Amino acid sequence: MTTKLMGTAVQRVEDQRFLRGEGRYVDDIAVDGRTLHAAVLRSPHAHARIIDIDVDEVLDLDGVHAVWTYDDLTGPMAEPLPLLIPHPALTHGRTQYALARDEVNYVGEAIAFVVADDRYVAEDAVGLIKVSYEFLKPVVGIDNARAAQHLVHEDVPGNIGARLEQNVGDAPTAIAAAPHRLELDLTVERSACMPMEGRGTVARWDADINRLQVWTSTQTSTGVRAAVAVKLGLDLGQVDVITPDVGGGFGVKIVHPWPEELLVPLAARALGRTVKFTEDRREHFISSAHERGQVHHVEVGFDDDGRLCGLDVEFWHDHGAYSPYGLIVPIITSTQLLGPYKPNNYRVVFESLYTNTVMVTPYRGAGRPQGCYTMERTMDAIAAYLGKDRAEVRAVNFIQPDEFPFDQGLIFQDGRELEYDSGDYPASLEKIKALVGWDEFPAYQAEMAAVGRKVGIGLACYVEGTGVGPYEGAHVHIETSGKVKVATGLTTQGQGHATVFAQLVADELGCRFEDIEVVTGDTRRMPYAVGTFASRAAVMSGSAIHLAAKRAKEKVLRIAADALEADESDLEIIAGVVSVKGSPGSSIDLGTVAVLSNPLRYAFDEASQAATQFSVGDPGKAPVPEDEEPGLEGKDFYSPERATFASGMHAVIVETDPLTAEITILKYAVVHDCGHLINPMIVEGQIHGGVAQGIGGALYERMAYDESGQLLNASFMDFLMPYVTEVPDGIDIDHLETPSPLNPLGIKGAGEAGVIPSAAVFASAIEDAEGFPITAMPISPSELFALRQQRAEEKS
Amino acid sequence: MKPAPFAYRRPDTLQQALADLAGEPDAKVLAGGQSLVPLLSMRLAAPALLVDINGLPGLAEIVVTDAGVRVGALARHADVLSSSEARRVQPLLAMALQHVAHATIRNRGTTVGSIVHADAAAEMPVVLTLLGGSVDVESTAGPRTIPAEELFLGPLESSLRPDEIALSAYFPALPEGAGVAFDEIARRHGDYALCGVAALVRLEGDRVVEARAGYVSVNELPTVLDLTADLAGVVDEASLAASAETAVAQLEPDGDIHATPEYRAQLVRVLTSRVLRAAYEDACERNAR
Ligand SMILES: Cc1cc2nc3c(=O)[nH]c(=O)nc-3n(C[C@H](O)[C@H](O)[C@H](O)COP(=O)(O)OP(=O)(O)OC[C@H]3O[C@@H](n4cnc5c(N)ncnc54)[C@H](O)[C@@H]3O)c2cc1C
């Protein structure tokens, strides 16, 4: 038998290319000098009515080909952009226009679109457009949105886009009757995905065949395709959307269509030229999407052991100016907040509020970091109140291994029940405690205190619903060369899909790993797909690829059995050769099977001669048997009933400087359970990246809006993404593998996990070091210093 | 993020470069480009002409004598940092340069460019001021020397005229009996400091006879304080604390999105006493040799 590749740390096939600078991103497409370049005039004001736009001077500028404003848009292009995920509770959903019609609602909103010979001229042209505005009062921050003295959208009372409540049992009554009660107010600031590659789109209209080709840096090529077709009045069959290498997405690129994803194709068709838009960093800050900003109020009732009697959470979600992605983020917070715990009685209600800031859509973790932070802060507060060990309080609330499947009684982001499929939380807790040295820490802390040093330990647990539907599909094609071409429709942003998907195919089909080529995100190869988000690629496309490879294999065996005059059950495929078990002389390679699968009239080479009409086939039978198709292919789709729930626990030890309030990470430990691992190295890479991003969100990043809605830190100089020097060079990782019963491989998603508990775990550790509650994250040394001073003042 | 149109010249003689500058009032010198190019790209600066001085001969030199270190206009931060001669004569240069940006930026950015750029968040303007150095400049009207205390006028504003090229910066050697130290606190490694302090302490025998500290990122200008009186001859907890309080009181630090004024004051306090002590220890060590 061959060794299985599933579960082994196969080197990434992508890395040679990436590390040599041979990746091809959207901006590397169409670099021929004839391509036209677009730039966008963006609103410098957070809230204003547009009185007039004067583009006269622009048209006189040498090298400018066209300029569009709202008035130039017609038909579906003149309608608001789609509200992608409607929800009955989203009573006041609002989306922007591709170009602002008569009002701008955030600094950065697109107003005019210029196409010129190059980006330099396009930017010169943008500078010549004159817009007169009537200023409206900007609404910035959750407090102002709630106060609703001013409205973002005139027709949205109270700035409330949605209000959603869910109940399990009767939390208020249970809390009132509980032996102990606590209330907490917890805040999380805004951050953003910040992929190294921003948004970008290239489009080419081929007038000879009436066909549009679009390359775009997206997490959903099929979504963009459908949107472009609808907005430009084209048939789906006229539009190809191709996703080349993508330099990170983290959620922001699941939003579609971005205005530029429509305007670039529109301009390409109108001008008959290839047109390109490449977003710059400032644009990414002010005109893509942010996330995380929420304020939570918790009421909790519990018994002497810290066991929850009831949990009542009310929170306010800052939605920014528009709500194209519906209520996904706050729904995820409201449901995934429960983590590995049984609340017994739970009430959650949120309001989604408009503000005059960049819109909010999912960012890696998508509402879970806020939920985890809220729940875990509550656990720590209960432990502090009862004087108990924080790990113990968590343990008494865990769902136990024999309670799965466990129905939390809520409706999840996919419209289905929040039912956990499997997990082993007590085992995870034991592992994380051992990994971080939980039980030994108090002695260490005392030792440090004796020499004037402050250290603290934090713990945070999460559960993550991964692999949401509706479906993904895959196509596996064995060529006559023996090469295996695999296509799945969702897109890749650097995760290593070409490696892990090939591992699955090699295992199932028995072909050589090196002979497999994986293509993602190309609608020409797989037009039915959903996209890459919600830690779903491995679960959804991985399962679909496994099933498609299985179908291909079945066909291989049928044809090979015929050719080798053997029984299918006696055949095995190893390294691309089908042979009769025990008699290796009797064999046929996959390429030859592919030749035989496609009866030919014409030969093109030696190999194909074997399939021509005078060489093969029973003259008494149809060349292609009934129920068969020519070619050696397998295609299948995977559509699970519901999400599968991964889980994990993080622990961190920090040191806080008694004088400067600088926060240093001494140790970071992760226990992670995403079911069976396809490639442990890649999973660990996902965890490393997630932890790094989480450190950014917890200790460095924020969107510094002033009261007029200007983003003060819209550059990498002042928006502090961690460098590699800010991330600990060792992250201790331990895996637990609790397989999912919901898919054929027993896998769960791993993409977002690393970032989910960051705010929670750092708040926990800093609180432990400082001895006072941490209720707002992220936290900087300056803020920690202010808290110390406030504390000192309160004491004196 | 593309610059507005500009003309570009890369002369290969100083005379030509000075003539180019004299001929266009809206011209800018381009050295390492690490500060200017981002400003151009963000269209915060839009000069009509860039005069690239990277083709000029003889400006990359670092000339070290026992009296001091003269750094040519095309010497990169990395060159100065790795010059063991410069480090011997004036150790503060390397101590501060380690904190200037990251290796890739130090490979291109020039020390002279950093000084005439006159950013109060930059390390080298403070070092020059603390050491009482100067900058040699030239225009078609002739050469002149600008002492550090006359160089910095405001945020990103130096007393260089637009038609002048800075040819070198001069850092006097460490005086007899003196020690130096530098430390800063930044949000991330290599970032501009939230607060940085350079200090020079000079001893005669056991007594401190001179103690001065320069401050990075605290006010709109590079500021140097004379703290000799506060130390009153000795370095101990009390005298360091007194110096730190004087520094806080005199500087009244500014706030920004990364640090409140109170927090920055705390950093001034902590770093003043930390760096003065280190400079004192450096002096003791040198005197013991
Ligand atoms: C990411 C990043 C981080 C950084 N961090 C730091 C930091 O922590 N500390 C720090 O001090 N600096 C930092 N810098 C700036 C860096 O040190 C620059 O190299 C320096 O500020 C300017 O030197 P330059 O040679 O690049 O000058 P340029 O960018 O070429 O020019 C800067 C200005 O000085 C003028 N100029 C330059 N040379 C001359 C001359 N010889 N005569 C007349 N005028 C001249 C130019 O006209 C321009 O106005 C950072 C830069 C970046 C990009």
Side-chain angles (χ1 to χ4, degrees):
Chain A
M1 269 310 287
T2 48
T3 45
K4 283 269 182 201
L5 293 183
M6 171 104 181
T8 55
V10 176
Q11 289 294 309
R12 288 168 34 118
V13 297
E14 297 89 342
D15 288 343
Q16 280 286 341
R17 223 160 39 79
F18 288 153
L19 295 177
R20 288 170 193 273
E22 289 162 7
R24 274 176 70 77
Y25 301 86
V26 168
D27 199 43
D28 299 317
I29 307 283
V31 286
D32 54 18
R34 272 193 42 81
T35 298
L36 301 180
H37 294 260
V40 178
L41 171 70
R42 304 189 180 280
S43 173
H45 306 296
H47 201 191
R49 229 183 296 284
I50 297 174
I51 307 300
D52 182 55
I53 307 176
D54 176 359
V55 297
D56 284 355
E57 272 188 64
V58 175
L59 298 170
D60 296 339
L61 193 70
D62 231 18
V64 170
H65 290 254
V67 53
W68 278 266
T69 64
Y70 176 80
D71 289 342
D72 304 308
L73 303 178
T74 55
M77 274 302 286
E79 301 290 315
L81 297 179
L83 201 165
L84 292 167
I85 310 180
H87 188 285
L90 184 56
T91 49
H92 295 78
R94 293 292 177 274
T95 59
Q96 70 186 84
Y97 293 89
L99 294 169
R101 193 176 70 173
D102 43 21
E103 189 175 317
V104 284
N105 278 303
Y106 62 94
V107 171
E109 187 162 354
I111 295 175
F113 186 74
V114 177
V115 178
D117 280 342
D118 58 46
R119 173 83 182 200
Y120 294 81
V121 177
E123 287 191 20
D124 295 344
V126 162
L128 296 174
I129 301 172
K130 296 196 180 78
V131 185
S132 38
Y133 299 97
E134 178 195 328
F135 298 116
L136 302 169
K137 290 280 185 216
V139 180
V140 181
I142 289 175
D143 290 348
N144 289 325
R146 284 180 68 189
Q149 278 190 321
H150 306 289
L151 297 180
V152 176
H153 303 287
E154 248 167 44
D155 56 352
V156 179
N159 292 315
I160 300 169
R163 185 178 185 283
L164 182 62
E165 176 168 342
Q166 294 203 61
N167 279 287
V168 185
D170 181 352
T173 305
I175 294 167
H180 311 284
R181 281 177 292 279
L182 279 174
E183 289 189 34
L184 291 88
D185 290 293
L186 300 161
T187 304
V188 182
E189 254 285 356
R190 271 190 183 208
S191 185
C193 301
M194 286 301 145
M196 282 297 110
E197 183 204 20
R199 300 180 293 116
T201 303
V202 170
R204 186 176 286 158
W205 173 255
D206 188 335
D208 295 329
I209 55 171
N210 273 330
R211 211 179 161 84
L212 181 70
Q213 283 204 317
V214 181
W215 289 260
T216 191
S217 188
T218 185
Q219 293 174 232
T220 171
S221 47
T222 46
V224 174
R225 183 190 193 211
V228 168
V230 166
K231 287 291 190 180
L232 267 60
L234 296 167
D235 292 337
L236 214 48
Q238 287 176 281
V239 183
D240 300 325
V241 175
I242 304 155
T243 312
D245 288 326
V246 173
F250 308 109
V252 63
K253 293 175 185 172
I254 192 62
V255 180
H256 64 283
W258 290 99
E260 299 85 353
E261 280 176 330
L262 302 175
L263 294 163
V264 168
L266 179 84
R269 185 172 62 174
L271 300 171
R273 296 274 294 271
T274 304
V275 177
K276 178 187 285 185
F277 166 74
T278 304
E279 181 188 60
D280 66 32
R281 188 54 57 185
R282 180 169 161 78
E283 289 182 293
H284 191 77
F285 272 102
I286 63 169
S287 61
S288 287
H290 301 166
E291 213 234 270
R292 304 275 197 261
Q294 283 182 184
V295 171
H296 314 78
H297 178 74
V298 178
E299 293 183 28
V300 61
F302 48 97
D303 68 14
D304 294 342
D305 297 327
R307 194 173 287 105
L308 299 175
C309 304
L311 180 67
D312 191 340
V313 179
E314 199 171 353
F315 72 94
W316 295 268
H317 172 76
D318 175 357
H319 221 139
Y322 299 103
S323 52
Y325 213 75
L327 299 177
I328 295 301
V329 174
I331 288 177
I332 294 178
T333 298
S334 65
T335 49
Q336 298 261 268
L337 184 147
L338 295 177
Y341 311 114
K342 293 181 280 192
N344 294 313
N345 294 279
Y346 181 47
R347 170 181 175 269
V348 62
V349 56
F350 68 79
E351 281 179 0
S352 191
L353 301 164
Y354 289 111
T355 57
N356 289 110
T357 56
V358 170
M359 68 186 189
V360 165
T361 66
Y363 159 30
R364 194 179 196 174
R368 292 178 190 88
Q370 301 93 311
C372 177
Y373 163 76
T374 304
M375 187 76 240
E376 296 297 298
R377 293 280 65 215
T378 304
M379 285 292 162
D380 283 353
I382 293 171
Y385 178 88
L386 295 173
K388 285 191 171 296
D389 178 60
R390 288 171 286 166
E392 248 172 62
V393 168
R394 285 167 168 84
V396 297
N397 285 291
F398 281 157
I399 297 160
Q400 295 302 309
D402 59 5
E403 292 180 278
F404 292 96
F406 186 87
D407 189 347
Q408 286 281 24
L410 299 166
I411 300 298
F412 192 39
Q413 61 146 323
D414 53 358
R416 289 158 189 266
E417 295 86 23
L418 185 74
E419 185 184 290
Y420 296 178
D421 51 336
S422 64
D424 189 342
Y425 311 137
S428 288
L429 185 66
E430 283 319 305
K431 275 180 181 284
I432 193 78
K433 283 173 66 177
L435 201 58
V436 76
W438 183 265
D439 291 333
E440 298 78 43
F441 185 76
Y444 173 69
Q445 193 175 31
E447 207 179 291
M448 290 292 110
V451 293
R453 289 174 62 181
K454 291 182 166 196
V455 293
I457 194 168
L459 171 69
C461 313
Y462 66 91
V463 167
E464 181 198 0
T466 69
V468 296
Y471 72 87
E472 286 300 332
H475 183 244
V476 172
H477 176 201
I478 303 165
E479 298 212 13
T480 54
S481 61
K483 295 243 162 69
V484 180
K485 307 289 176 178
V486 180
T488 188
L490 55 62
T491 64
T492 297
Q493 300 94 45
Q495 298 93 332
H497 291 161
T499 304
V500 290
F501 293 160
Q503 284 178 254
L504 299 177
V505 172
D507 278 354
E508 185 56 31
L509 196 55
C511 61
R512 298 192 316 159
F513 179 78
E514 308 80 76
D515 286 337
I516 302 168
E517 182 191 277
V518 177
V519 168
T520 58
D522 184 339
T523 63
R524 297 170 303 183
R525 295 284 299 276
M526 174 49 78
Y528 292 99
V530 184
T532 303
F533 54 92
S535 304
R536 71 192 290 281
V539 175
M540 302 302 296
S541 277
S543 297
I545 284 168
H546 170 82
L547 296 173
K550 195 169 176 172
R551 286 196 190 270
K553 180 183 184 175
E554 285 161 8
K555 186 161 187 182
V556 168
L557 294 179
R558 282 199 299 277
I559 296 169
D562 208 29
L564 299 173
E565 295 175 350
D567 204 72
E568 275 177 47
S569 60
D570 291 334
L571 299 180
E572 61 183 0
I573 315 178
I574 295 172
V577 178
V578 194
S579 55
V580 181
K581 282 178 208 158
S583 59
S586 186
S587 69
I588 181 169
D589 62 44
L590 284 176
T592 309
V593 178
V595 170
L596 297 177
S597 74
N598 183 19
L600 294 174
R601 185 173 176 85
Y602 313 111
F604 314 106
D605 55 16
E606 215 172 309
S608 48
Q609 281 172 17
T612 51
Q613 53 197 1
F614 299 107
S615 311
V616 285
D618 180 342
K621 286 188 192 160
V624 178
E626 220 175 302
D627 301 331
E628 283 289 13
E629 289 174 5
L632 197 52
E633 299 175 323
K635 184 174 169 184
D636 210 339
F637 291 85
Y638 172 67
S639 179
E641 229 175 288
R642 59 173 59 88
T644 170
F645 289 80
S647 64
M649 300 178 188
H650 290 203
V652 70
I653 298 176
V654 302
E655 175 163 9
T656 58
D657 189 295
L659 296 174
T660 64
E662 288 166 287
I663 301 157
T664 311
I665 302 166
L666 301 183
K667 189 180 179 74
Y668 202 106
V670 176
V671 169
H672 187 253
D673 185 352
C674 61
H676 287 146
L677 300 170
I678 303 173
N679 185 324
M681 179 190 69
I682 286 183
V683 170
E684 288 184 11
Q686 288 290 329
I687 292 171
H688 291 161
V691 168
Q693 217 163 13
I695 288 170
L699 302 179
Y700 294 96
E701 299 165 359
R702 71 181 57 237
M703 290 295 168
Y705 273 106
D706 70 11
E707 65 278 11
S708 67
Q710 295 292 339
L711 186 57
L712 301 179
N713 61 341
S715 86
F716 280 158
M717 194 167 134
D718 284 317
F719 178 86
L720 308 177
M721 270 173 89
Y723 301 126
V724 69
T725 42
E726 278 56 58
V727 180
D729 48 1
I731 297 171
D732 297 331
I733 300 177
D734 198 356
H735 297 284
L736 194 71
E737 296 190 55
T738 315
S740 170
L742 299 180
N743 62 63
L745 300 164
I747 58 182
K748 302 178 176 187
E752 295 167 277
V755 83
I756 294 171
S758 321
V761 80
F762 279 105
S764 181
I766 294 167
E767 177 169 300
D768 187 43
E770 296 290 326
F772 52 76
I774 301 295
T775 59
M777 291 294 282
I779 186 163
S780 67
S782 183
E783 286 157 329
L784 180 57
F785 180 73
L787 288 177
R788 285 179 183 172
Q789 285 200 311
Q790 192 187 323
R791 194 73 182 174
E793 270 164 37
E794 281 165 13
K795 274 192 182 160
S796 66
Chain B
M1 272 199 207
K2 304 290 184 208
F6 57 83
Y8 171 83
R9 290 203 201 123
R10 194 172 195 272
D12 47 22
T13 65
L14 179 61
Q15 281 61 36
Q16 187 57 52
L18 296 177
D20 287 343
L21 284 175
E24 170 56 68
D26 190 16
K28 275 248 167 243
V29 171
L30 175 69
Q34 299 304 291
S35 296
L36 184 54
V37 172
L39 291 174
L40 295 176
S41 293
M42 290 189 268
R43 298 196 178 212
L44 295 171
L49 170 69
L50 283 193
V51 179
D52 183 344
I53 60 169
N54 285 279
L56 300 186
L59 289 185
E61 278 166 26
I62 302 167
V63 181
V64 184
T65 65
D66 283 346
V69 180
R70 182 168 295 281
V71 176
L74 291 175
R76 314 291 154 169
H77 292 309
D79 302 331
V80 186
L81 181 55
S82 64
S83 162
S84 51
E85 273 299 280
R87 185 183 302 235
R88 181 179 62 78
V89 170
Q90 185 40 272
L92 186 59
L93 292 179
M95 290 176 183
L97 278 166
Q98 300 172 34
H99 294 275
V100 175
H102 315 265
T104 43
I105 289 151
R106 291 195 296 263
N107 285 340
R108 283 173 176 267
T110 63
T111 300
V112 170
S114 157
I115 289 168
V116 299
H117 189 54
D119 188 341
E123 288 79 0
M124 297 319 281
V126 169
V127 168
L128 191 82
T129 312
L130 178 77
L131 297 177
S134 60
V135 172
D136 277 8
V137 307
E138 193 164 336
S139 70
T140 50
R144 63 177 179 131
T145 298
I146 311 176
E149 58 270 26
E150 290 169 20
L151 188 61
F152 305 107
L153 303 182
L156 303 187
E157 197 190 339
S158 81
S159 56
L160 252 75
R161 293 197 311 267
D163 64 338
E164 282 177 324
I165 296 180
L167 299 180
S168 66
Y170 181 70
F171 301 90
L174 193 61
E176 188 65 36
V180 279
F182 189 96
D183 199 5
E184 70 176 39
I185 289 175
R187 285 294 274 120
R188 299 171 298 184
H189 291 78
D191 278 356
Y192 283 104
L194 294 177
C195 174
V197 177
L200 184 146
V201 170
R202 191 159 59 83
L203 306 179
E204 270 172 19
D206 286 348
R207 275 196 76 73
V208 176
V209 291
E210 181 184 356
R212 287 182 304 118
Y215 293 84
V216 181
S217 282
V218 176
N219 296 132
E220 288 193 339
L221 286 174
T223 320
V224 173
L225 299 180
D226 190 334
L227 300 168
T228 316
D230 299 277
L231 284 186
V234 293
V235 168
D236 57 22
E237 290 299 330
S239 71
L240 289 173
S243 311
E245 289 316 320
T246 300
V248 170
Q250 294 203 10
L251 293 170
E252 293 184 24
D254 301 328
D256 60 25
I257 59 172
H258 302 301
T260 59
E262 295 76 25
Y263 180 59
R264 196 162 259 131
Q266 170 74 357
L267 296 185
V268 166
R269 190 174 287 122
V270 173
L271 286 176
T272 298
S273 88
R274 191 182 286 176
V275 177
L276 277 179
R277 181 193 292 277
Y280 169 74
E281 283 167 2
D282 187 52
C284 292
E285 222 173 276
R286 283 173 203 282
N287 291 353
R289 273 186 218 149

